[in-house]
Amino acid sequence: MENLIALLVAAPLLGAAVLLCGGRRLDRAGHWIGTALAAASFVTGVVLFTDMLGRGAEDRALHQHLYSWIPVEGFQADVAFQLDQLSMTFVLLITGVGTLIHIYSIGYMEHDERRRRFFGYLNLFLAAMLILVIADNYLLLYVGWEGVGLASYLLIGFWQHKPSAATAAKKAFLVNRVGDMGLSIAIMLMFTTFGTFAFGPVLGATGDTSEGKLTAIGLMLLLAACGKSAQVPLQSWLGDAMEGPTPVSALIHAATMVTAGVYLIVRSGAIFNGAPDAQLVVVVVGAVTLLFGAIVGCAKDDIKKALAGSTMSQIGYMILAAGLGPIGYVFAIMHLVTHGFFKAGLFLGAGSVMHGMNDEVDMRKYGGLRKYMPVTFVTFGLGYLAIIGFPGLSGFFSKDMIIEAAFAKGGTEGWILGSVTLLGAAITAFYMTRVMLLTFFGEKRWQPDAEGHEPHPHESPKSMTIPMIVLAFGSVFAGGFFSIGDRFMHWLEPVTGHDHGHAPVSAATVTAATMVVLVIGVAIAWAMYGRKPVPAVAPRGSLLTRAARRDLLQDDFNHVVLVRGGEHLTRSLVYVDHTLVDGVVNGTAASMGGLSGRLRKLQNGYARSYAVSMFGGAAVLIAATLLMRAV
């Protein structure tokens, strides 16, 4: 079975090569080729998963060594894959949801002239993401990490004729490069500390390594995770990235790429377990981003940007859980998987709404769409119920477990983190209810566009609705299935470990509190948007609302601190260069020029002047000799 692991990557990689290099003769069949090869990777994953289930819990890790990449004395880098319970979870999520999004894209991108290239980019993304999660060493993981960044840039800027899309792609690329520097520094520190990049030797030697070194490595890994997973302070790219086609938002910004940071932290759990200070920073970043994204999501009228704020917030839950160590590792991954179902479904539902509304994204121009798009309404509604934690649906199980784990941290820290997660749950219920009310309920509010064309909302084709239905099933049943007999916990525990912690409150109390804040959030949203007419233009709102519409001033902060700060730094360096560096160089040149000018006067071409000089010099030498003898 080990020999099949490489096929996971080979299938989508082949699809990317064929579609991107095959030329226009593949335009008619390109989307089918890309979808078939994504499905082939998923089938391979299912075969490997079935084989893994037949093995004992401690004997499920598979390895495949392809070749030595850099065989140098003292520096060994291999292209080798590792498939264990953690990476298998990601493989099934990436290939399964990825295949559904490929199918959805067949209908969504039907009229795009560059559809073949789009599917080539999707295949490239799948291949890079799979390399990231099945690599058996950090250097190969870094290859997949950069490949995901490249594919993300290409997909976000796919409609590059739109200046906003081109700008968003560049922004995502540059912000992620900051995080990538953290990963590259972490890998360098690993090599100097452990002499290797491989997961086994690195993670197995953390017990004999100083806390200071582990903290440095952990903080650099966290910086990398902040970039890929859009966490504070590297979160500014995610909202703008909604300029890409909606399937891109579902694949990259809901189910896969933004979860890469969570995978990195959980995979590197032994490092963080030995560095409590780094773990604390992870928790703080997750808690801050959890609230940050939720508040931003409350103020957005663009349906995709509201979901982007939601994604930021939900990844914050996962990062917070990962920062709790063995108490939260399993629950971080469980919420990651359930989130992959319901958030991908929500994004595809948003794309379906846009498809029926002439690409309109402003929810204030929707209203009453449940009558015109029943399948989209039901599937989107199930995703909505799942994300707010409605009892029995997937989010109810996975998010509640993170809230319980936060309280189980114990002490004052546990109470603070538990309260933050509950507050986040209340805000989530508010903004997601707002999205549902503005989109599917109330009276229709759409108007003719500038050219007089009025939208005619209609249900999307089956190629789009079938993936939405499948994802809706996952939104409803995945969490409960994972929770039966704690099967998901037992599945991951051999890799991640698990600690129940010391919760000061019972699970029943946490569930009751979660239900209370859920009802409060829904009730406030209903009072604001369900009982009153929705104005065509958003009112001015409070200071917090205005700030949330501008992403809590994150771009303003970056402009003042980084852009203007960089400009001032550049001007200072230019001034130093002109005054100090050029001054020293030009001053030296001027001094030598002046000295040579004075010496030139001695070379006048007159023999009598040279004779006098020789006579004078000889006289000085004789006088000096006599003086020395006298002394």
Side-chain angles (χ1 to χ4, degrees):
M1 281 295 173
E2 289 85 350
N3 295 331
L4 292 179
I5 299 177
L7 293 179
L8 292 169
V9 177
L13 195 60
L14 174 63
V18 170
L19 295 178
L20 297 177
C21 301
R24 300 189 63 86
R25 58 182 172 273
L26 295 177
D27 282 355
R28 291 186 177 182
H31 50 289
W32 296 114
I33 294 172
T35 303
L37 288 171
S41 184
F42 173 65
V43 170
T44 303
V46 171
V47 171
L48 289 166
F49 174 66
T50 304
D51 176 73
M52 188 175 287
L53 288 177
R55 299 168 179 257
E58 303 298 331
D59 189 37
R60 286 175 170 167
L62 303 175
H63 291 82
Q64 181 179 14
H65 181 276
L66 295 183
Y67 60 90
S68 293
W69 179 14
I70 309 175
V72 180
E73 184 177 358
F75 186 97
Q76 182 73 26
D78 295 328
V79 174
F81 299 132
Q82 169 181 294
L83 197 64
D84 56 16
Q85 292 92 319
L86 178 59
S87 53
M88 176 56 78
T89 302
F90 276 83
V91 164
L92 294 177
L93 177 67
I94 294 165
T95 58
V97 175
T99 300
L100 291 174
I101 292 171
H102 275 71
I103 296 171
Y104 178 94
S105 300
I106 293 173
Y108 191 87
M109 302 295 290
E110 181 178 5
H111 302 294
D112 196 294
E113 295 179 353
R114 301 169 66 235
R115 181 165 63 166
R116 170 186 53 82
R117 184 176 294 273
F118 179 79
F119 277 83
Y121 291 160
L122 286 182
N123 274 198
L124 178 63
F125 177 86
L126 285 187
M129 193 69 199
L130 287 167
I131 291 174
L132 191 159
V133 298
I134 67 174
D136 86 332
N137 63 84
Y138 283 97
L139 195 60
L140 186 58
L141 180 151
Y142 186 76
V143 174
W145 191 273
E146 290 299 318
V148 165
L150 171 62
S152 170
Y153 167 77
L154 295 171
L155 287 166
I156 294 171
F158 183 75
W159 288 329
Q160 55 193 265
H161 59 276
K162 298 166 53 180
S164 56
T167 301
K170 288 187 289 186
K171 184 177 183 180
F173 190 82
L174 291 174
V175 173
N176 272 274
R177 295 293 74 72
V178 178
D180 295 352
M181 284 296 297
L183 182 55
S184 62
I185 293 172
I187 293 173
M188 295 175 195
L189 290 174
M190 288 176 191
F191 185 75
T192 57
T193 303
F194 304 105
T196 181
F197 310 108
F199 290 149
V202 169
L203 301 178
T206 54
D208 301 323
T209 307
S210 69
E211 184 178 317
K213 290 183 178 179
L214 293 179
T215 299
I217 295 172
L219 291 177
M220 290 299 100
L221 292 175
L222 174 61
L223 179 61
C226 287
K228 277 289 184 287
S229 296
Q231 300 292 285
V232 172
L234 299 179
Q235 81 285 10
S236 63
W237 65 271
L238 186 60
D240 292 348
M242 297 300 107
E243 292 292 338
T246 297
V248 174
S249 303
L251 180 63
I252 294 179
H253 311 128
T256 55
M257 180 178 125
V258 291
T259 62
V262 182
Y263 170 79
L264 182 65
I265 293 174
V266 174
R267 174 62 75 187
S268 308
I271 294 173
F272 287 95
N273 294 341
D277 291 339
Q279 249 180 359
L280 176 61
V281 178
V282 173
V283 169
V284 171
V285 167
V288 170
T289 310
L290 185 163
L291 296 178
F292 188 105
I295 293 171
V296 168
C298 291
K300 296 295 186 181
D301 292 330
D302 183 318
I303 186 171
K304 287 176 65 178
K305 290 191 176 183
L307 294 177
S310 171
T311 298
M312 194 186 304
S313 178
Q314 296 304 306
I315 300 296
Y317 270 104
M318 301 172 206
I319 293 291
L320 185 152
L324 297 174
I327 298 175
Y329 288 146
V330 171
F331 304 136
I333 301 301
M334 181 175 174
H335 192 55
L336 183 152
V337 176
T338 59
H339 176 265
F341 284 114
F342 56 70
K343 184 54 64 65
L346 288 169
F347 267 113
L348 295 187
S352 180
V353 170
M354 293 165 57
H355 182 268
M357 291 293 292
N358 294 345
D359 289 329
E360 178 61 64
V361 296
D362 188 347
M363 293 184 291
R364 292 183 180 275
K365 299 179 181 178
Y366 292 164
L369 291 181
R370 69 185 188 280
K371 304 173 186 176
Y372 305 92
M373 310 179 72
V375 177
T376 300
F377 167 64
V378 172
T379 55
F380 193 98
L382 291 173
Y384 151 73
L385 293 174
I387 194 173
I388 68 173
F390 190 83
L393 275 69
S394 291
F396 168 78
F397 295 98
S398 58
K399 190 187 294 184
D400 269 25
M401 288 179 176
I402 291 179
I403 296 173
E404 291 177 25
F407 279 108
K409 185 68 174 176
T412 304
E413 184 181 347
W415 282 104
I416 293 173
L417 294 177
S419 300
V420 167
T421 54
L422 282 175
L423 178 59
I427 302 175
T428 300
F430 170 80
Y431 70 72
M432 285 306 304
T433 302
R434 174 179 179 267
V435 170
M436 281 295 296
L437 293 174
L438 289 177
T439 304
F440 295 103
F441 292 88
E443 299 299 324
K444 71 173 189 177
R445 299 183 298 275
W446 57 86
Q447 300 293 331
D449 58 22
E451 299 177 355
H453 299 143
E454 182 174 336
H456 296 284
H458 55 279
E459 191 56 86
S460 299
K462 289 184 178 180
S463 63
M464 295 173 63
T465 57
I466 289 175
M468 292 159 55
I469 293 170
V470 174
L471 290 171
F473 270 96
S475 302
V476 173
F477 298 112
F481 177 77
F482 291 157
S483 300
I484 297 174
D486 292 330
R487 61 179 57 178
F488 195 79
M489 181 188 302
H490 295 318
W491 166 258
L492 281 184
E493 193 171 3
V495 179
T496 63
H498 183 66
D499 182 356
H500 293 282
H502 305 284
V505 293
S506 65
T509 302
V510 171
T511 299
T514 305
M515 292 300 98
V516 170
V517 299
L518 184 154
V519 171
I520 292 173
V522 171
I524 295 175
W526 172 257
M528 294 178 64
Y529 299 98
R531 299 179 59 188
K532 302 177 182 178
V534 177
V537 179
R540 179 175 173 81
S542 65
L543 180 62
L544 178 59
T545 299
R546 297 197 300 273
R549 287 178 186 146
R550 299 180 61 178
D551 299 329
L552 292 181
L553 308 180
Q554 56 184 320
D555 283 333
D556 302 80
F557 175 83
N558 290 343
H559 184 76
V560 171
V561 175
L562 301 178
V563 178
R564 288 188 178 178
E567 290 175 351
H568 290 308
L569 176 61
T570 301
R571 292 192 187 103
S572 300
L573 292 175
V574 170
Y575 176 79
V576 171
D577 181 61
H578 286 171
T579 58
L580 182 60
V581 178
D582 287 356
V584 171
V585 174
N586 294 336
T588 302
S591 298
M592 296 304 296
L595 177 60
S596 63
R598 290 177 175 81
L599 291 176
R600 190 184 301 116
K601 294 179 180 179
L602 299 177
Q603 303 297 321
N604 53 22
Y606 294 108
R608 59 179 179 271
S609 298
Y610 298 157
V612 171
S613 299
M614 295 170 62
F615 178 77
V620 170
L621 289 174
I622 292 170
T625 301
L626 293 175
L627 181 61
M628 292 178 62
R629 286 185 177 181
V631 173

